[in-house]
């Protein structure tokens, strides 16, 4: 059976920047925008924080993957050793925040439809590379700040501990999402869709939200067929 990864799109705010149709039978929609500077209002104070969410690796079918292989798959552009899709990765760029901001943090809320075994990991750009915990993407080092975690009920999922941004004007993250391998057929439980809301919170009270949505079909692994 042929399985396809299709209808993947990222939407932040309300403006679609690009729509790209691929192939004759299915399409991918990708878009990204950011908030205007000084657009986050909390009470009587205006705080500045902006965010871009863009797909990094995603235009292929996927197969369930062992959690221990997540970092390796990201380093191989979300492909396994047989060149099959193994994950989806999203770049999260947080910038234009107040210079006196000390830290930011992130949470994710996700709603799934027939997707029981989604897992995720969060990485942050780093000046230090540590073997086994970091990967180089586009000549930049990203290291794990949130270990492989099951989506569970999908409410208030932590995207890592608070991140120190003292003296910085921007920082970058990678959100990695994949299907955890159960070593059995997962066609009945993991062919569906999800909608996720990413919220980055500023230590001074501001926050900004973006969304990721996807419909997934699994490649034929030959297990349980």
């Amino acid at each position: 059976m042929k399985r396809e990864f299709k209808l993947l799109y990222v939407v932040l705010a309300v403006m679609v920047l690009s729509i790209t149709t691929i192939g004759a039978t299915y399409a991918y929609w990708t878009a990204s925008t950011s908030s205007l500077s000084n657009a986050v209002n909390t009470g009587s104070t205006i705080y500045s924080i902006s965010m871009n969410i863009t797909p990094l690796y995603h235009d292929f079918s996927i197969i369930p993957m062992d959690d221990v292989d997540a970092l390796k798959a990201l380093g191989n552009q979300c492909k396994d050793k047989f060149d099959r899709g193994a994950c989806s990765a999203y770049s999260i760029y947080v910038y234009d925040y107040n210079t006196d901001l000390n830290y930011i943090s992130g949470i994710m809320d996700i709603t799934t439809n027939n997707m029981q075994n989604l897992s995720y990991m969060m990485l942050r750009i780093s000046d230090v590379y540590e073997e086994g915990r970091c990967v180089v993407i586009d000549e930049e080092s990203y290291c794990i700040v949130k270990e492989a975690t099951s989506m569970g009920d999908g409410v208030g999922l932590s995207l890592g501990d608070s991140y120190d941004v003292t003296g910085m004007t921007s920082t970058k993250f990678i959100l990695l999402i994949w299907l955890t391998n159960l070593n059995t057929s997962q066609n009945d439980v993991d062919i569906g869709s999800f909608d996720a809301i990413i919220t980055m919170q500023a230590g001074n009270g501001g926050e900004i939200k973006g969304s990721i949505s996807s419909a997934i079909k699994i490649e034929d692994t030959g297990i349980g067929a």
Side-chain angles (χ1 to χ4, degrees):
M1 280 188 301
K2 181 180 180 181
R3 306 292 191 266
E4 297 174 332
F5 182 107
K6 64 180 182 178
L7 298 180
L8 185 148
Y9 55 90
V10 176
V11 179
L12 178 58
V14 296
M15 183 172 65
V16 177
L17 296 187
S18 64
I19 299 178
T20 304
T21 303
I22 301 178
T25 59
Y26 58 94
Y28 302 97
W29 286 265
T30 63
S32 119
T33 66
S34 65
S35 73
L36 297 176
S37 179
N38 300 321
V40 181
N41 191 333
T42 58
S44 60
T45 305
I46 302 295
Y47 296 107
S48 171
I49 184 169
S50 299
M51 176 171 64
N52 271 355
I53 302 177
T54 54
L56 187 58
Y57 307 125
H58 62 97
D59 286 354
F60 35 71
S61 303
I62 64 171
I63 62 170
M65 176 177 66
D66 293 337
D67 293 350
V68 295
D69 292 328
L71 188 66
K72 184 189 303 183
L74 176 59
N76 198 39
Q77 300 183 357
C78 275
K79 296 292 186 71
D80 71 1
K81 63 181 180 180
F82 302 109
D83 202 38
R84 300 174 299 187
C87 51
S88 294
Y90 306 89
S91 174
I92 302 175
Y93 177 46
V94 184
Y95 64 102
D96 194 29
Y97 41 75
N98 297 61
T99 55
D100 60 350
L101 184 63
N102 295 319
Y103 66 90
I104 60 175
S105 59
I107 59 173
M108 175 170 57
D109 295 313
I110 187 165
T111 302
T112 61
N113 175 29
N114 201 50
M115 300 292 293
Q116 296 183 14
N117 298 289
L118 284 174
S119 296
Y120 74 102
M121 176 186 289
M122 193 78 160
L123 300 94
R124 185 187 181 187
I125 194 169
S126 174
D127 292 331
V128 179
Y129 179 89
E130 181 182 347
E131 189 69 35
R133 294 194 59 81
C134 304
V135 63
V136 175
I137 305 293
D138 295 331
E139 299 183 349
E140 294 178 317
S141 177
Y142 288 85
C143 300
I144 298 172
V145 289
K146 177 66 177 178
E147 302 283 351
T149 304
S150 171
M151 294 286 188
D153 61 9
V155 178
L157 300 173
S158 170
L159 295 180
D161 295 333
S162 297
Y163 302 113
D164 186 357
V165 292
T166 304
M168 300 178 182
T169 58
S170 67
T171 190
K172 296 178 182 179
F173 301 91
I174 291 176
L175 173 63
L176 192 65
I177 297 176
W178 67 94
L179 289 170
T180 293
N181 182 25
L182 303 181
N183 291 311
T184 187
S185 175
Q186 296 177 222
N187 294 342
D188 294 336
V189 295
D190 285 318
I191 298 178
S193 60
F194 68 84
D195 295 282
I197 302 296
I198 307 298
T199 302
M200 298 304 294
Q201 302 167 323
N204 57 15
E207 67 176 30
I208 191 168
K209 296 178 182 289
S211 65
I212 298 172
S213 298
S214 177
I216 293 178
K217 286 194 174 182
I218 308 173
E219 274 192 359
D220 187 2
T221 62
I223 297 177

